[in-house]
Amino acid sequence: MNPVLAADITLPHINYGAIAPILILLGMACVGVLAEAFLPRTLRYPVQVLVSLVAQVAGLATIIGLALSNYAKKPTLTAGDALAVDGPGLFLQGAVLVLGIVATLLIAERSVERGGAFVAQAAVTAGSEADAEQARRQPSQTEIFPLSLFALGGMMLFVSANDLLTMFVALEVFSLPLYLMCALARRRRLLSQEAAVKYFLLGAFSSAFFVYGIAMLYGFAGSVKFHDIAVAAISSGKSDLLMFIGLAMLAIGLLFKAAAVPFHVWTPDVYQGAPTPVTALMASCTKVAAFGGILRIFYVAFLDSRWDWRPVIGVIAVLTMVIGAILAVTQTDIKRLLAYSSIANAGYVLTGVLAMQKDGISSSLFYLVTYGFTVLAAFGLVTLVRDQDGEATHLSRWAGLGRKAPVLAGVFTFLMLSFAGIPLTSGFTGKFAVFSAALGGGQTTLVIFGVLSSVLLAFPYLRVVVLMYLQEPAADAPTVAVPGALTSAALAIGAIVTLLLGVWPSVLLDVANSAAQFVG
Amino acid sequence: MTPTYYLVLSAALFCVGAVGVLIRRNAIVVFMSVELMLNAGNLALVTFARINGSLDGQIMAFFVMVVAAAEVVVGLAIIMSIFRTRRSASVDDSNLLKY
């Protein structure tokens, strides 16, 4: 009765070499889980740090090898067209790993807070006697390392997914570990758990929209491959209504991860409550992954229908830039301030994406990397300002830090200037790239709002600088911890890259330019 | 019976789930509403598979089910850990992080 049941199943060919980076990350994450199960407690930390870093460096080396062996020029589809190995895919995978390595250094730090920033036993009730005991004495659990490897592997899968189902599975593979990692702070555990609950419930809500969008597009095109959707979009006789409902729901799922207004409400709460190294990972790597997915969907599947949806996404970009900047002005907590600034930055990347031409892709790729390094260094510095309750994140506590810790205040000032887009920093070159791409794509209105928003956003950054230098430190001012080797390395990498890409942006812009061609 | 009715049913289930997420207070019930939305997506996938005459939609429904199961594991763990401290699963009580 049903002819499709009789069809033979042929296994798709899988080009293992081309997807080796993803396999390395996910494989090493499994090794990490086994190490957690079989190694004695004392050995776990060094082994896990080693496994984590080796996996990411090996993955990065494989990506560079693939890019040099012309996969970027001659892109391929593999695993039954489910995965695309092309320029943007490899660039984004590399970006996720480079930022992931720096974030791992922050996660692995154990000297700033004795025993590390993570809880020893997450199952212990927060606020109980046993909880105080674990916060004082026991070293952090090491599950955080395999969790972060799974998250990074999922992000790499997400940016190279070439059909909606693979994209959905990858979205969950990187989201689920992040939900857990948010709940693992050593101190202020109630805040941390609350952040995890909020992130989880809203994240699950948004992925339900994503699934329903997939169903609508499957009904529209009869397939979930991006290429088939693009073909169906230009052929007449299909129901446009299904396509637009599907695209809208898909966009809700993706813009939630990218923290665009009006899907941003989780961002400040989660960024504040989560352990700061995890916040750094989310602000840099998750943003790269989310925009990688957005770029691929808009540029591969919906390029030909752009005249219909571009105004809507344009309104979202304007709202994101303006509301992110306005709310950043009113913040009194440094982590929330950085969260609202990351929302506004999502708007700037979206402006670059909406250029809808080649330099739109390359400028967005470039911006994501520059922003990622700066935000990693900024959150790294936030971990160092401490009092007896852990990190002192209230802005009033940062008064007078310029006198107590000139080096820290100097580096932080430099990072704030980069966020504000002052020339000779990567924040300037990145904004210049996305705004000029958007101008070239005819998006003048977006650029006007973007420039206005960055002027507005400069105010909260400079307020922090003024606070650090021009105010007297309070009597009980927080101390500035001496960073351990790992945090120092992360801070140095972040600050140097911020300077380097500000002075000499062509290093990375050329790579981004040569990578900016999606496989269809 | 035309498959269109199943699409209408799936849209109705999705809306019930979305409204449930927005108005219910208990984290577990909110989460159940999310599951209802995912299953509405499954119903739509299977219906479109029938309309399109291909098996892809049915296979995708299996993937969505597996992902939903993994989500339950993570979600209940997080909700349990916060319940142990607060003795409540109400999302209104989670009000430390704001402004």
Side-chain angles (χ1 to χ4, degrees), chain A residues 316-362:
Chain A
I316 288 178
V318 168
L319 283 177
T320 308
M321 291 187 284
V322 172
I323 293 183
I326 291 176
L327 289 178
V329 173
T330 64
Q331 295 310 309
T332 53
D333 185 286
I334 187 73
K335 282 170 89 176
R336 289 183 87 82
L337 197 163
L338 289 173
Y340 279 107
S341 119
S342 93
I343 293 170
N345 277 287
Y348 304 144
V349 187
L350 215 46
T351 307
V353 172
L354 287 174
M356 295 314 286
Q357 48 190 357
K358 187 168 179 257
D359 60 351
I361 305 175
S362 60

Side-chain angles (χ1 to χ4, degrees), chain A residues 478-515:
Chain A
T479 55
V480 174
V482 180
L486 295 170
T487 305
S488 308
L491 292 178
I493 294 172
I496 288 170
V497 172
T498 303
L499 179 67
L500 186 74
L501 292 180
V503 182
W504 195 20
S506 56
V507 194
L508 187 64
L509 261 178
D510 290 346
V511 181
N513 264 325
S514 60

Side-chain angles (χ1 to χ4, degrees), chain A residues 1-2 4-5 122-127 165 168-169 172 176-177 179-180 183 189-198 200-205 207-209 211-212 214-216 218-224 242 249 268-270 272-273 331 336 340, chain B residues 7 10-12 14 17-18 21-22 27 30-31 34 37-38 40-42 44-46 48-50 52-60 63-64 67-68 70-72 74-79 81-86 91 93-99:
Chain A
M1 162 202 157
N2 197 338
V4 290
L5 290 179
V124 169
T125 307
L165 181 65
F168 171 66
V169 173
E172 295 297 322
L176 295 179
Y179 300 147
L180 289 174
R189 287 190 53 207
L190 215 47
L191 287 188
S192 171
Q193 291 174 350
E194 187 178 316
V197 168
K198 286 178 173 173
F200 169 75
L201 287 178
L202 293 175
F205 190 43
S207 36
F209 277 91
V211 166
Y212 210 75
I214 293 176
M216 293 297 119
Y218 173 64
F220 164 70
S223 159
V224 286
L242 273 184
M249 292 190 148
D269 286 0
V270 173
Q272 185 189 0
Q331 295 310 309
R336 289 183 87 82
Y340 279 107
Chain B
L7 288 180
S10 122
F14 188 83
V21 171
L22 296 175
V30 170
F31 188 43
V34 170
M37 293 168 77
L38 288 174
N42 279 344
L45 280 171
V46 173
F48 279 125
R50 171 81 188 190
N52 291 339
S54 71
L55 281 176
D56 296 0
Q58 300 185 23
I59 295 166
M60 281 189 272
F63 274 89
V64 174
V67 168
E71 216 166 51
V72 170
V74 169
L76 287 186
I78 294 172
I79 295 172
S81 67
I82 201 164
F83 176 78
R84 279 196 191 151
T85 321
R86 291 183 182 276
V91 286
D93 288 344
S94 294
N95 57 3
L96 294 171
L97 292 162
K98 53 188 170 185
Y99 308 123

Side-chain angles (χ1 to χ4, degrees), chain A residues 3 39 53 97 106 127-128 248 284 345 347 435 448 483 502:
Chain A
L39 285 184
L53 288 177
L97 280 186
L106 289 176
S128 66
S284 54
N345 277 287
F435 288 160
I448 293 172

Side-chain angles (χ1 to χ4, degrees), chain A residues 147-171:
Chain A
L147 282 175
S148 62
L149 279 186
F150 274 122
L152 291 170
M155 289 173 194
M156 291 165 65
L157 189 63
F158 188 72
V159 296
S160 44
N162 198 46
D163 71 43
L164 291 172
L165 181 65
T166 313
M167 199 168 225
F168 171 66
V169 173
L171 179 79

Side-chain angles (χ1 to χ4, degrees), chain A residues 53-404:
Chain A
L53 288 177
V54 164
Q56 293 176 62
V57 171
L60 192 60
T62 323
I63 290 169
I64 294 171
L66 285 175
L68 291 180
S69 64
N70 269 339
Y71 269 105
K73 296 260 182 329
K74 263 192 302 181
T76 48
L77 295 175
T78 186
D81 293 357
L83 289 171
V85 185
D86 56 3
L90 288 173
F91 186 95
L92 288 160
Q93 287 188 1
V96 164
L97 280 186
V98 170
L99 298 170
I101 290 171
V102 181
T104 305
L105 295 179
L106 289 176
I107 289 173
E109 177 62 65
R110 280 197 160 181
S111 69
V112 171
E113 160 116 51
R114 197 144 58 88
F118 301 99
V119 67
Q121 285 164 308
V124 169
T125 307
S128 66
E129 200 55 34
D131 185 36
E133 175 72 13
Q134 66 84 16
R136 261 199 314 276
R137 293 178 204 279
Q138 295 174 23
S140 293
Q141 64 186 357
T142 44
E143 283 102 332
I144 195 88
F145 294 103
L147 282 175
S148 62
L149 279 186
F150 274 122
L152 291 170
M155 289 173 194
M156 291 165 65
L157 189 63
F158 188 72
V159 296
S160 44
N162 198 46
D163 71 43
L164 291 172
L165 181 65
T166 313
M167 199 168 225
F168 171 66
V169 173
L171 179 79
E172 295 297 322
V173 169
F174 85 73
S175 296
L176 295 179
L178 284 177
Y179 300 147
L180 289 174
M181 287 160 76
C182 282
L184 295 180
R186 168 176 292 254
R187 296 171 185 255
R188 303 204 184 106
R189 287 190 53 207
L190 215 47
L191 287 188
S192 171
Q193 291 174 350
E194 187 178 316
V197 168
K198 286 178 173 173
Y199 193 19
F200 169 75
L201 287 178
L202 293 175
F205 190 43
S206 80
S207 36
F209 277 91
F210 196 85
V211 166
Y212 210 75
I214 293 176
M216 293 297 119
L217 287 171
Y218 173 64
F220 164 70
S223 159
V224 286
K225 288 175 186 158
F226 291 164
H227 176 70
D228 296 344
I229 294 173
V231 170
I234 47 173
S235 67
S236 57
K238 301 260 186 186
S239 154
D240 274 353
L241 183 68
L242 273 184
M243 184 185 93
F244 288 120
I245 296 177
L247 174 58
M249 292 190 148
L250 219 56
I252 290 177
L254 289 169
L255 292 172
F256 173 88
K257 285 293 164 204
V261 176
F263 314 110
H264 69 290
V265 280
W266 59 277
T267 318
D269 286 0
V270 173
Y271 278 24
Q272 185 189 0
T276 310
V278 174
T279 312
L281 180 79
M282 286 193 291
S284 54
C285 299
T286 309
K287 198 136 277 194
V288 173
F291 275 103
I294 289 175
L295 276 170
R296 193 175 289 279
I297 283 194
F298 284 172
Y299 277 77
V300 179
F302 294 102
L303 187 65
D304 290 310
S305 48
R306 62 181 177 280
W307 304 111
D308 294 310
W309 54 259
R310 190 147 78 161
V312 180
I313 306 291
V315 170
I316 288 178
V318 168
L319 283 177
T320 308
M321 291 187 284
V322 172
I323 293 183
I326 291 176
L327 289 178
V329 173
T330 64
Q331 295 310 309
T332 53
D333 185 286
I334 187 73
K335 282 170 89 176
R336 289 183 87 82
L337 197 163
L338 289 173
Y340 279 107
S341 119
S342 93
I343 293 170
N345 277 287
Y348 304 144
V349 187
L350 215 46
T351 307
V353 172
L354 287 174
M356 295 314 286
Q357 48 190 357
K358 187 168 179 257
D359 60 351
I361 305 175
S362 60
S363 65
S364 309
L365 297 179
F366 178 73
Y367 195 96
L368 287 167
V369 176
T370 58
Y371 174 73
F373 275 107
T374 315
V375 83
L376 276 173
F379 277 115
L381 282 171
V382 170
T383 61
L384 297 180
V385 182
R386 319 182 64 88
D387 54 19
Q388 67 277 12
D389 294 332
E391 290 160 11
T393 54
H394 199 274
L395 273 184
S396 63
R397 309 278 289 144
W398 283 52
L401 267 184
R403 263 168 248 190
K404 284 189 69 132

